[in-house]
Amino acid sequence: MTPARYQRIIEVLDRRQPDLTLILEGVHKPHNLSAIQRTADAVGVLDMHAVSPERPYRSRKGTAMGSQKWVRVHNHAATADAVDALQARGFQVVAAHLSERARDFRRIDYSRPTAILMGTEKYGVSGQALALADAEITIPMTGMVASLNVSVAAAVILYEAQRQREQAGCYDTPRLDPELRARLLFRWGYP
Amino acid sequence: MTPARYQRIIEVLDRRQPDLTLILEGVHKPHNLSAIQRTADAVGVLDMHAVSPERPYRSRKGTAMGSQKWVRVHNHAATADAVDALQARGFQVVAAHLSERARDFRRIDYSRPTAILMGTEKYGVSGQALALADAEITIPMTGMVASLNVSVAAAVILYEAQRQREQAGCYDTPRLDPELRARLLFRWGYP
Ligand SMILES: C[S@@+](CC[C@H](N)C(=O)[O-])C[C@H]1O[C@@H](n2cnc3c(N)ncnc32)[C@H](O)[C@@H]1O
Ligand SMILES: C[S@@+](CC[C@H](N)C(=O)[O-])C[C@H]1O[C@@H](n2cnc3c(N)ncnc32)[C@H](O)[C@@H]1O
């Protein structure tokens, strides 16, 4: 590893946000999964959660641009498993969903430990997940089409989180547990 | 057409932003084109410009969710044709590009007539386009991956434009020329 690459990895690790994550409920199109993982990496997400009873998450090489190495994906068989575990650790779970109850996505405080829950391309977030979530959020739409592409919606929300966290200084000091940071440095640095 | 649908179309037309547009330079993956068109519809874009010397733009049915009907796509053989025509009409052309010269995308005033220029998946914005553009903008990235998916990048910028335009009251009063509005109402209403 070159010193420049080592420096780069250190910088990225020191900007990782262990308390910002995504839960993908049954999102299954590879290009969507990969685009989401790439955006997650770009805003400093450390861990992502994928719920898919049938097939465990695997990202496709092309679109993810190697981001599968940089964002850890945890597979869950049921949404409740992922939501419960995160809430137990103090995360608020906000479901991205188009409903009357939902508030504007910009009204959430994303500097708090937050998990953003995204629904499937076809059916959206499940009723069970909505019942478990702490809040529902919606991205305002002013056109004829009823919903955004799921990777687009995830990105719009993640970049609002990035904006708030930048302002709150969350990227200014290292956030990772030293033992985990050392482990990731080793894994990222030596392929 | 039901009265509710008629009302919906009127509302959408009255929030359309004739002075906010996209130029897609050689973006060719159908799922990216379609996701971009869907986001464009959602923030009120009326017209989009596609530059592709070889194949004229056609959106795929699935991902666009019918948005090809609501956002008009104009094909151009060369980037300069699209850029020149828009600049002649008073648009600022901002190129989304990862460079040293680029400023943060949030520092642009999108309430001005604005065209957002996006580059190809593989090579980014062409040198020729960068030379013609009024500014270069970049979305901050803090991870290991070098760039965002193009439909994701377009969406993050378009929703910053939406935020600014909402604040500036651009969606509060109809913006379309009455003759064009009548023509679109006819076309959208009677399939
Ligand atoms: C294609 S949409 C699902 C559409 C589905 N037919 C429905 O009615 O929920 C896929 C996912 O993207 C997210 N999404 C899309 N547009 C959104 C918006 N405007 N606001 C919030 N989330 C959105 C949601 O998580 C949704 O479950
Ligand atoms: C996949 S990127 C192109 C990457 C290409 N290898 C390059 O170096 O330009 C496709 C397009 O998405 C847009 N894009 C992607 N990430 C961006 C970012 N962080 N800031 C601004 N634009 C971005 C740009 O318009 C870019 O041309």
Side-chain angles (χ1 to χ4, degrees), chain B residues 5 77 127 169:
Chain B
R5 175 122 180 126

Side-chain angles (χ1 to χ4, degrees), chain A residues 96-98 117-125 137-139 141 147-148 150 153, chain B residues 38:
Chain A
H97 188 59
L98 293 129
L117 196 157
M118 310 298 305
T120 57
E121 287 91 349
K122 209 158 185 173
Y123 305 109
V125 177
I137 53 172
T138 191
I139 302 165
M141 301 179 67
S147 68
L148 298 168
V150 63
Chain B
R38 207 162 140 191

Side-chain angles (χ1 to χ4, degrees), chain B residues 15-32:
Chain B
R15 289 169 68 83
R16 276 299 194 241
Q17 306 288 307
D19 56 354
L20 178 64
T21 189
L22 286 170
I23 306 172
L24 307 181
E25 198 189 36
V27 175
H28 67 271
K29 289 187 185 162
H31 61 82
N32 284 334

Side-chain angles (χ1 to χ4, degrees), chain B:
Chain B
M1 188 166 44
T2 64
R5 175 122 180 126
Y6 183 80
Q7 200 46 45
R8 173 94 195 285
I9 292 178
I10 294 277
E11 272 167 31
V12 168
L13 285 174
D14 284 347
R15 289 169 68 83
R16 276 299 194 241
Q17 306 288 307
D19 56 354
L20 178 64
T21 189
L22 286 170
I23 306 172
L24 307 181
E25 198 189 36
V27 175
H28 67 271
K29 289 187 185 162
H31 61 82
N32 284 334
L33 288 166
S34 302
I36 292 173
Q37 204 170 359
R38 207 162 140 191
T39 311
D41 171 68
V43 301
V45 164
L46 179 70
D47 293 294
M48 261 170 55
H49 300 269
V51 181
S52 55
E54 291 127 57
R55 34 189 156 179
Y57 173 84
R58 262 187 218 91
S59 58
R60 201 172 54 164
K61 223 172 157 215
T63 328
M65 303 263 290
S67 57
Q68 58 275 18
K69 185 168 172 186
W70 320 117
V71 181
R72 304 185 294 182
V73 180
H74 306 272
N75 288 297
H76 303 268
T79 308
D81 297 346
V83 173
D84 289 352
L86 286 161
Q87 284 174 333
R89 286 169 51 206
F91 282 65
Q92 62 176 339
V93 175
V94 296
H97 189 59
L98 292 129
S99 75
E100 296 289 307
R101 293 202 310 176
R103 26 184 161 147
D104 189 289
F105 77 105
R106 295 187 179 108
R107 293 180 181 266
I108 295 289
D109 177 1
Y110 297 97
S111 67
R112 289 178 48 196
T114 304
I116 301 159
L117 195 155
M118 309 300 302
T120 57
E121 286 92 347
K122 211 158 184 176
Y123 304 109
V125 177
S126 70
Q128 197 210 8
L130 292 177
L132 293 169
D134 298 292
E136 292 175 30
I137 54 171
T138 191
I139 302 165
M141 301 179 67
T142 191
M144 292 300 290
V145 170
S147 67
L148 299 168
N149 167 277
V150 63
S151 63
V152 157
V156 170
I157 299 166
L158 282 172
Y159 265 94
E160 172 62 14
Q162 182 271 347
R163 192 189 65 78
Q164 292 187 14
R165 283 180 174 246
E166 188 78 64
Q167 241 166 28
C170 299
Y171 295 104
D172 296 346
T173 45
R175 312 277 311 280
L176 297 191
D177 166 87
E179 193 269 327
L180 172 61
R181 181 174 176 282
R183 211 148 29 87
L184 289 173
L185 179 58
F186 184 80
R187 177 131 40 97
W188 290 11
Y190 304 86

